[in-house]
Amino acid sequence: MVEKKVDQWRNPLIKHRADPWIMLHADGYYYFVATVPTYDYIELRRSKTVSGLAKVEPKIIWREHDKGDMKYHIWAPEIHYINSKWYIYFAAGHEQDPWRIRMYVLECGGKNPLEAPWVEKGQIKSRWDTFSLDATTFEHQSEQYMIWAQSDPNIAGNSNLYIDKMINPWTLSGQQVMISTPEYPWERIGFNVNEGPAVLKTDAKIYVSYSASKTDHNYCLGLLEIDTDKNLLNPKHWKKYKEPVFTTSEVNQQYGPGHNCFVRKKTTDEIILVYHARSYKQIQGDPLSDPNRHTRAQVIRLDAGEIIFDQPIKDGVLCG
C-alpha cells in the first residue's frame, strides 16, 4: 500500500513575494505568480503541491517595457485559464508617470505556460482612463466576469471595486457598476482604499474578499457577498460586511495581512487562504518600498457556507 504524501508547509511560504496568487489547474499543478520586490517583471512557477511552490525554480515569462506604458510598477499578477488559454492580468505604470497605473493582460496558448510564449493583449479599458489595478476574473452561469479596483473621477479617494461582464478575456462589456467604496473607518486609514478583490464561490453564495487602507499594519481584508441566483451587476444585491474579516495579529506577530486569493486543496477540497503579511510593525519609509511582504497560506473553514477566517497564523507553525 502506497502512503499518500501530505502537503504541509510553514509560513512564510515564499519570502519577498507580495500580492500572491495560486491557482489549481486541471493538470494537477498549482501555479503561482506574485509581485516581485523590484516591480519590473513577472515570474511563474508550478508544483504538484503548495509546499513545493517554495522549492521550484521560477521562470520569468515577461519583463517591463523599456519605455512607454508597462514600464513601472508591475504589480499583482494573476493567472487564469479561460477557453483553453492562459491569461495573466497585472497592473503597470507609464514611463512618463509611474503612477499612471492601468490594467493589462498577457495570453498564452500553450499546454505548459512556463515553456510556451506569452503575447501582450493590451490594456483592459473600463469607463474611465483613471488609476486602475488588481483585475480578477471568474465564470458564473456561463458568463465571464471581471472585478477590479479603480479611481472614479467623481468620488474622492483612491480606489473602489467594480464589476462587469467580459466580451472576451481582455475586453469589458461596458456595463460596469460599483459594488464597494471605502466607507468605514478601517477602510480609510492612510488612504481610502478598496483593492485586491478575490472570489470564492459556494453553492449558495459568491464571496469577494478585498484589501483596505494603507499597506502597513493597517492593511486588512473586508468581505462582500451575493446570492448566486442574483444579478451580479445590480449593486443592491451585494452585501458588505461592516467589520474587517482578517486583520493584524499582534499576538502572532503578523502585520498587514492582505491582497489574498483562495485556492482549493486537491486532496481534501479544503480552502486555502493565500495572502501576504509582514512579521514586524515598524516600517522605515514608504511601505511600498519595504520588500518584506511575504507570501503566507493557511487552511480556512466554511461553516454552513460562511467563511471562517480566524487570524493570521504565527510564522513557523505547520500548516496544511
Side-chain angles (χ1 to χ4, degrees):
M1 182 177 178
V2 179
E3 184 178 351
K4 286 187 177 181
K5 292 184 178 180
V6 177
D7 187 10
Q8 293 183 309
W9 60 91
R10 299 179 193 274
N11 283 329
L13 176 65
I14 302 174
K15 289 188 174 182
H16 311 299
R17 292 298 180 268
D19 313 323
W21 184 268
I22 299 177
M23 70 161 285
L24 174 60
H25 187 49
D27 62 4
Y29 282 96
Y30 290 98
Y31 290 82
F32 175 84
V33 288
T35 300
V36 301
T38 49
Y39 298 156
D40 58 356
Y41 64 88
I42 297 174
E43 65 177 22
L44 177 61
R45 57 182 90 186
R46 73 172 186 172
S47 171
K48 288 285 188 179
T49 61
V50 172
S51 57
L53 291 170
K55 305 169 187 175
V56 296
E57 187 72 22
K59 172 72 177 295
I60 296 177
I61 56 95
W62 183 87
R63 292 185 182 273
E64 67 177 11
H65 286 188
D66 292 332
K67 59 183 180 180
D69 58 10
M70 293 184 272
K71 167 59 180 168
Y72 292 113
H73 288 156
I74 310 305
W75 286 348
E78 291 190 9
I79 186 168
H80 296 266
Y81 194 73
I82 306 169
N83 298 332
S84 301
K85 289 186 177 182
W86 301 92
Y87 294 91
I88 287 180
Y89 298 88
F90 66 101
H94 195 276
E95 173 194 15
Q96 297 177 358
D97 181 3
W99 293 100
R100 189 184 183 279
I101 307 291
R102 302 294 186 269
M103 303 177 291
Y104 300 91
V105 61
L106 309 175
E107 180 187 72
C108 174
K111 183 177 180 180
N112 183 348
L114 281 81
E115 298 176 350
W118 287 84
V119 297
E120 297 173 3
K121 301 301 289 186
Q123 181 183 338
I124 299 173
K125 296 183 178 180
S126 65
R127 184 171 299 157
W128 314 287
D129 185 27
T130 60
F131 181 90
S132 53
L133 72 171
D134 298 347
T136 194
T137 183
F138 66 102
E139 184 274 335
H140 182 59
Q141 296 180 351
S142 301
E143 296 275 8
Q144 198 73 27
Y145 289 86
M146 177 167 283
I147 303 178
W148 71 99
Q150 186 165 15
S151 174
D152 182 335
N154 299 308
I155 298 177
N158 298 84
S159 59
N160 316 296
L161 296 183
Y162 298 88
I163 187 171
D164 197 355
K165 288 183 180 180
M166 305 191 78
I167 297 174
N168 57 46
W170 57 91
T171 310
L172 298 173
S173 74
Q175 305 173 71
Q176 75 180 68
V177 295
M178 187 176 73
I179 56 174
S180 182
T181 188
E183 57 189 300
Y184 299 116
W186 54 270
E187 300 175 291
R188 302 166 66 91
I189 302 174
F191 298 108
N192 297 351
V193 170
N194 282 178
E195 65 181 15
V199 176
L200 177 62
K201 292 177 62 177
T202 67
D203 291 338
K205 293 185 182 295
I206 298 172
Y207 292 99
V208 176
S209 62
Y210 64 92
S211 300
S213 288
K214 190 176 181 179
T215 56
D216 56 12
H217 65 279
N218 294 297
Y219 208 51
C220 62
L221 291 185
L223 193 66
L224 307 170
E225 68 173 53
I226 190 171
D227 294 340
T228 53
D229 60 352
K230 298 295 185 181
N231 177 7
L232 273 56
L233 297 185
N234 186 339
K236 294 180 180 179
H237 292 158
W238 288 87
K239 172 190 172 183
K240 182 174 181 176
Y241 287 47
K242 294 182 179 180
E243 299 293 338
V245 294
F246 199 61
T247 62
T248 285
S249 172
E250 295 274 4
V251 66
N252 288 339
Q253 295 182 300
Q254 300 293 300
Y255 299 95
H259 207 117
N260 77 293
C261 73
F262 302 99
V263 62
R264 294 185 182 272
K265 289 186 70 175
K266 60 183 177 181
T267 52
T268 64
D269 207 36
E270 293 175 297
I271 305 296
I272 303 172
L273 176 70
V274 186
Y275 59 98
H276 71 234
R278 294 184 179 88
S279 58
Y280 53 87
K281 187 174 185 177
Q282 301 302 322
I283 300 170
Q284 298 296 321
D286 188 339
L288 289 175
S289 300
D290 182 286
N292 295 315
R293 293 181 294 175
H294 303 322
T295 294
R296 293 168 162 85
Q298 62 191 67
V299 175
I300 58 174
R301 296 176 290 125
L302 286 174
D303 185 1
E306 179 182 355
I307 308 175
I308 309 299
F309 285 88
D310 294 323
Q311 61 180 329
I313 291 176
K314 188 175 183 178
D315 285 355
V317 174
L318 195 63
C319 304

